[in-house]
Amino acid sequence: MDGRLFGMTDGKARSFLPHMRLDELLAELQVRLEAVLATRDRVHALLEAVVSIGSDLDLETVLRRIVETATTLVDATYGALGVIGEEHTLVEFIPVGLTEEEVARIDHWPHGLGLLGLLIKDPRPLRLNDISKHPEAYGFPPGHPVMKTFLGVPIRVRDEVFGNLYLAEKRGGAEFDEDDEAIVVALATAAGVAIENARLYEETRRRETWLRALSEISTRLLSGTESGEVLTFIGQRAREMVEADVVAILSPDESGEYLDVVNAEGPAADSVERSRVAVEGSISGAAFTTAEPVMVSTLAERSMTLLGPQIGPAAAVPLGAGGSQPRGVLALGRRAGRLPFSEAELQMLHSFAGQAAIALELAERRKDAERLGLLEDRDRIAKDLHDVVIQRLFAVAMTLMSTVRLVERPEAVQRLQTAIDELDETIRQIRSTIFALQTPRDLESPSLRSQIVELVEDARSRLGFMPGLKLEGQLDNQVAPNVAEHLLAVLREALSNVVRHAKASHVDVTVRAVDGTLTLQVDDNGIGPSPGGRRSGLRNLQERAESLGGEFEFGPGRERGSSLRWSVPLSREAS
């Protein structure tokens, strides 16, 4: 074309062409500079992200921070981190970028099917421009937002694939490129280190808690703390060690078919306490029967609903060690959506529960030894009373009886006879004490004697004075349990009648188990029985005596007041 047609000379045209070439070069240089600056900014952002995710040692916080950082670095709308379980499924899903309305519309979190499952089976970076065109594009739960672009990168902790980082919908309608993939791969590498550090920190913290808890358990048991309180403490410390949301300690019932909850800690403790779970088909039952720890990613995998419907991951460890029959089970649960218990946590719980069970066993053996020593002391005291004290008192009484014939003054004879009667009563009381000391019973369960004493002492506040009490015979080992229940009920009713009607200032209670007969005698110095008074309570006492083949009498006392006498054969059972 002739440049002169445009009023341009040949010299001017030649000078214009280099100028155009320079503009193109400057524009290209500017583009390249902008790319370098963008790369620099992304590298700086990546370095800041690596520092950020490594600055926290709480595992769940680290995982969420990894997802948030990844979405920021590649300008993704949505991001998530899926933690892979033992069965190659997603046991935890941490989403970022979804609104509350979008979360509410999703039926359930992904389980690891389709594209997500492909990344689990083949842990390599996966970048797609259109998800719908991939043959594995399925498995999204109902209500899941529609997504087009996708970038998935595995997260490795040493040689183990911990989980996958998922990013979708790059903002502005752009596609994820090679630079985005490189950035996320680099972040995933740093994330693996941060996750490993968080795991090591949590394991160290758990071990410290474990050692401190075992020391405290031993100290409490050696100081005489009741085993029930120690079980509560064991549950609390186990829950702290693995950050569980609920923990329950279960003990087998007499049939061995069920495990009863004896202690529970956590938000759902109120609904768990005083409940039971069948041994067959539950993870607690499996831990109890196999004496090995058991865990599941969700309770829906096993027919165990003890820990509540809001619980997902669960674990159960036997309370026992050395292959012995467990004395119970320690069951723990975390709320749905949290990470399942790791193998390291499970083994630590198993070891802790075993050591705690040994401490409980040693404490019980120590109590048994103390109980045996106490019984031996009681037996020795009983023998000393029988062989020494009673014999000397009996000798004194015999001496006084032979002296009575040598005394002429009636007043002195009366005093001697009174002293002899007092010695005889003292001998009977000592013999009753000997029977009580020699009774082979469980010291932790209340004896009949102690229950009688407790009833009489309880009446003191209502009467305004302490009733007199005499106990004779082997009440604790000659009176059958059903007869003892009737006796206590009759004594309770008799004392109640004295409180309400007698207006007495003195009451004597005597309980004897001699010559095959159990007798209860209650005498007071009150106003005596009222003629024609209501006798519904007395009829009840009479029916109790007749049901055991005994007798019941109620009437005026010898001098004043009233007298109640209730007697039954020791060998008769309730009808």
Side-chain angles (χ1 to χ4, degrees):
M1 182 179 292
D2 191 352
R4 287 175 294 180
L5 296 175
F6 298 94
M8 185 180 298
T9 64
D10 292 342
K12 289 181 179 180
R14 284 193 298 270
S15 64
F16 180 71
L17 290 174
H19 182 70
M20 290 180 61
R21 178 77 173 173
L22 180 61
D23 287 344
E24 291 176 357
L25 291 174
L26 288 174
E28 183 179 352
L29 178 61
Q30 184 176 0
V31 171
R32 291 181 178 272
L33 285 174
E34 289 176 354
V36 170
L37 290 175
T39 302
R40 183 202 64 181
D41 292 341
R42 296 188 78 177
V43 170
H44 285 172
L46 176 61
L47 292 175
E48 291 177 0
V50 170
V51 173
S52 175
I53 64 176
S55 63
D56 203 299
L57 292 175
D58 178 70
L59 182 58
E60 294 194 22
T61 303
V62 169
L63 297 181
R64 181 163 291 278
R65 188 170 293 177
I66 289 170
V67 186
E68 293 171 345
T69 303
T71 56
T72 302
L73 286 175
V74 298
D75 205 22
T77 304
Y78 304 108
L81 192 153
V83 180
I84 301 173
E86 293 183 353
E87 299 179 0
H88 300 289
T89 58
L90 297 181
V91 295
E92 184 174 15
F93 195 78
I94 304 171
V96 169
L98 295 173
T99 64
E100 293 184 2
E101 292 77 10
E102 288 174 324
V103 171
R105 286 196 296 267
I106 297 176
D107 186 58
H108 59 81
W109 293 124
H111 298 308
L113 304 175
L115 283 176
L116 307 190
L118 179 62
L119 273 170
I120 295 173
K121 292 181 288 187
D122 185 13
R124 291 184 298 175
L126 178 64
R127 180 160 46 92
L128 300 174
N129 296 331
D130 190 349
I131 295 176
S132 61
K133 294 181 179 180
H134 196 279
E136 298 287 338
Y138 65 90
F140 292 98
H144 196 282
V146 178
M147 298 177 181
K148 184 178 180 181
T149 55
F150 176 83
L151 175 60
V153 173
I155 298 177
R156 298 178 184 272
V157 178
R158 295 187 181 180
D159 296 330
E160 170 196 359
V161 178
F162 176 81
N164 290 311
L165 193 57
Y166 309 113
L167 302 163
E169 288 300 285
K170 190 175 178 69
R171 289 187 175 90
E175 299 174 352
F176 293 110
D177 55 23
E178 293 181 358
D179 291 339
D180 293 328
E181 182 179 326
I183 287 287
V184 177
V185 168
L187 179 67
T189 303
V193 176
I195 291 170
E196 177 69 6
N197 290 337
R199 278 179 165 182
L200 292 174
Y201 170 75
E202 287 193 355
E203 183 176 350
T204 302
R205 182 185 56 79
R206 284 195 299 268
R207 289 190 180 276
E208 290 179 354
T209 305
W210 171 45
L211 293 173
R212 185 171 61 252
L214 287 177
S215 175
E216 292 176 355
I217 289 170
S218 300
T219 302
R220 287 171 180 250
L221 288 172
L222 291 174
S223 63
T225 305
E226 293 296 328
S227 59
E229 295 182 23
V230 175
L231 285 175
T232 300
F233 181 77
I234 290 173
Q236 292 172 347
R237 288 296 177 266
R239 183 180 168 220
E240 291 175 6
M241 274 192 289
V242 295
E243 297 182 351
D245 294 305
V246 63
V247 59
I249 296 178
L250 302 94
S251 178
D253 65 356
E254 294 181 357
S255 68
E257 296 180 357
Y258 292 92
L259 295 170
D260 296 323
V261 176
V262 296
N263 180 264
E265 296 290 332
D270 292 340
S271 61
V272 172
E273 286 180 339
R274 297 178 299 278
S275 59
R276 59 170 32 187
V277 61
V279 172
E280 186 69 26
S282 66
I283 66 169
S284 294
F288 181 74
T289 54
T290 63
E292 293 292 336
V294 181
M295 67 175 174
V296 292
S297 300
T298 172
L299 279 182
E301 299 176 15
R302 300 290 290 269
S303 58
M304 175 188 174
T305 58
L306 168 69
L307 299 178
Q310 72 275 26
I311 296 300
V317 294
L319 276 171
S324 59
Q325 176 65 32
R327 60 186 298 146
V329 174
L330 185 67
L332 304 100
R334 289 172 176 165
R335 66 179 181 273
R338 289 191 59 192
L339 281 172
F341 296 96
S342 66
E343 191 66 32
E345 288 175 328
L346 196 65
Q347 293 303 323
M348 184 177 299
L349 282 172
H350 190 201
S351 178
F352 171 73
Q355 295 295 326
I358 290 174
L360 286 169
E361 192 74 20
L362 291 175
E364 290 180 0
R365 294 294 176 266
R366 179 179 59 82
K367 285 187 176 181
D368 289 340
E370 292 176 353
R371 188 177 295 114
L372 180 60
L374 179 59
L375 289 174
E376 290 175 348
D377 287 341
R378 288 162 62 97
D379 188 59
R380 178 183 55 79
I381 294 170
K383 288 180 179 179
D384 290 343
L385 287 174
H386 182 272
D387 297 340
V388 180
V389 178
I390 284 184
Q391 297 303 323
R392 298 188 66 174
L393 288 176
F394 187 73
V396 172
M398 293 296 293
T399 302
L400 291 177
M401 289 177 65
S402 63
T403 306
V404 170
R405 296 192 297 270
L406 304 177
V407 178
E408 297 180 355
R409 294 182 59 183
E411 296 86 354
V413 171
Q414 181 62 36
R415 290 184 180 182
L416 286 173
Q417 189 61 51
T418 301
I420 293 170
D421 292 341
E422 288 295 331
L423 285 172
D424 187 54
E425 179 63 26
T426 301
I427 290 172
R428 283 198 297 269
Q429 290 294 330
I430 292 176
R431 281 177 175 165
S432 179
T433 302
I434 292 172
F435 292 147
L437 289 172
Q438 292 179 331
T439 301
R441 69 174 189 275
D442 184 359
L443 297 180
E444 294 183 355
S445 61
S447 64
L448 177 57
R449 286 175 174 272
S450 64
Q451 293 181 78
I452 292 172
V453 172
E454 184 178 359
L455 282 178
V456 173
E457 289 182 346
D458 287 345
R460 174 195 292 185
S461 59
R462 294 177 292 162
L463 287 169
F465 59 88
M466 182 64 188
L469 176 62
K470 294 181 182 180
L471 302 174
E472 297 182 19
Q474 302 183 43
L475 294 171
D476 292 328
N477 57 3
Q478 283 193 348
V479 181
N482 67 302
V483 178
E485 291 180 6
H486 284 283
L487 173 69
L488 294 172
V490 172
L491 176 58
R492 190 179 296 108
E493 179 67 23
L495 291 174
S496 178
N497 287 337
V498 172
V499 171
R500 289 180 295 173
H501 308 301
K503 298 181 181 179
S505 60
H506 183 80
V507 178
D508 285 321
V509 177
T510 303
V511 183
R512 296 185 180 92
V514 294
D515 300 330
T517 302
L518 175 66
T519 303
L520 169 64
Q521 183 86 25
V522 180
D523 298 308
D524 66 76
N525 65 348
I527 61 176
S530 58
R534 296 179 59 187
R535 299 180 59 86
S536 58
L538 298 179
R539 279 198 302 272
N540 182 34
L541 303 187
Q542 185 171 356
E543 290 174 358
R544 287 181 179 274
E546 292 175 351
S547 69
L548 298 172
E551 299 177 349
F552 171 74
E553 297 176 4
F554 179 75
R558 292 182 181 179
E559 298 179 0
R560 56 176 300 190
S562 59
S563 177
L564 180 149
R565 186 175 183 276
W566 186 88
S567 63
V568 296
L570 285 172
S571 59
R572 290 294 299 269
E573 297 289 330
S575 59

